[in-house]
Amino acid sequence: MHMHDWNTYRQQLFAGVGELGKLSPDTVRGYMALGGAGEKTGHLDAKTRELIALAVAISLRCDGCITVHTDAARKLGVTREEIAEALGVAISVNAGAALVYSTRTLDAFAAAEGA
């Protein structure tokens, strides 16, 4: 059993985006342009872009991004091991960011003591 019905959710998400596209077509067109911009440079292959997207998706806690980019990655032949490695990088960077912001918190506390 899966934690979430990702396939149904992805279909619902596409339907919702389609509805938003009817209400605000330029918004969705603009989003699609952003999504396709990286393809045009040709510097990274599609698999690499999807792995980056998954790492960012978990960092942003975006279930919609997770389902869309997991499906796209699977269709491109990305393996579970490749996904796990990309997610490991995201976990590491997120932990690093927490470490950096911990120092900022301690600095803010020290400043408040001196106020």
Side-chain angles (χ1 to χ4, degrees):
M1 182 167 158
H2 298 285
M3 288 188 279
H4 191 68
D5 184 348
W6 294 101
N7 296 322
T8 299
Y9 175 63
R10 189 172 49 258
Q11 293 168 354
Q12 292 169 337
L13 181 64
F14 287 148
V17 171
E19 181 64 26
L20 180 60
K22 291 175 188 172
L23 297 168
S24 184
D26 287 343
T27 298
V28 175
R29 260 194 301 278
Y31 169 77
M32 297 304 288
L34 285 171
E39 293 176 37
K40 295 180 181 178
T41 66
H43 299 298
L44 298 174
D45 65 10
K47 282 178 66 172
T48 302
R49 284 192 306 276
E50 291 303 331
L51 289 168
I52 292 168
L54 286 169
V56 172
I58 69 159
S59 297
L60 295 175
R61 298 171 185 94
C62 178
D63 282 345
C65 300
I66 290 169
T67 189
V68 169
H69 292 290
T70 298
D71 186 57
R74 187 191 54 77
K75 289 176 180 173
L76 290 167
V78 172
T79 65
R80 289 177 70 85
E81 293 79 11
E82 289 171 318
I83 289 175
E85 186 171 337
L87 298 179
V89 172
I91 291 166
S92 173
V93 171
N94 281 298
L99 182 62
V100 169
Y101 271 80
S102 294
T103 66
R104 293 172 63 87
T105 301
L106 291 173
D107 186 53
F109 184 80
E113 284 182 321

